[in-house]
Amino acid sequence: QVQLVESGGGLVQPGGSLRLSCAASGSIISINTAGWYRQAPGKQRELVAAIGSGGITNYAESVKGRFTISRDNAKNTVYLQMDVLRPEDTAVYYCNAGVVAVQGGAYRYNEVWGQGTLVTVSS
């Protein structure tokens, strides 16, 4: 069973920073593209940042210059460094990844979502 577990959310004041982590577990062979999404109350889930297997990154316009996505392939972990946080960044943040794992004796591709971690930006 492949799982993604997010951590690092919490309450922070405007202008502050948080670092989210997304760790994959299971018989992982590789993680392809991974991304962070967020969903604020009453709004649709939106892509915040994504990173390909080669390290190419993509960001939503609203977070460019403030958020940085990175990955540690040896640890099967993806990070989201969030700086200069604003109240409008408040949301549940979800990790998503395309994961190749050994399942049933074969290599299988899974698209996996984490359970989400709440980020609240408020004074």
Side-chain angles (χ1 to χ4, degrees), residues 4 6 21-23 34-37 78 93-97 112-114 116:
L4 299 178
E6 299 108 331
S21 298
C22 171
W36 286 95
Y37 292 73
V78 179
Y93 283 71
Y94 298 90
C95 180
N96 171 269
V112 189
W113 287 91

Side-chain angles (χ1 to χ4, degrees), residues 6-11 18-21 82 117-119:
E6 299 108 331
S7 61
L11 173 64
L18 282 175
R19 188 192 195 204
L20 305 183
S21 298
M82 305 186 294
T117 185
L118 177 63
V119 172

Side-chain angles (χ1 to χ4, degrees), residues 16-65:
S17 298
L18 282 175
R19 188 192 195 204
L20 305 183
S21 298
C22 171
S25 64
S27 300
I28 308 295
I29 300 299
S30 64
I31 298 176
N32 296 346
T33 298
W36 286 95
Y37 292 73
R38 67 186 180 187
Q39 187 166 19
K43 294 189 176 182
Q44 289 189 329
R45 190 175 296 189
E46 62 174 356
L47 176 66
V48 175
I51 185 166
S53 56
I56 294 176
T57 58
N58 181 43
Y59 296 93
E61 285 296 326
S62 59
V63 307
K64 278 184 180 178

Side-chain angles (χ1 to χ4, degrees), residues 30 32-33 97-101 103 107-112:
S30 64
N32 296 346
T33 298
V99 180
V100 178
Q103 293 174 305
Y107 288 0
R108 299 193 187 279
Y109 178 85
N110 304 266
E111 183 176 354
V112 189

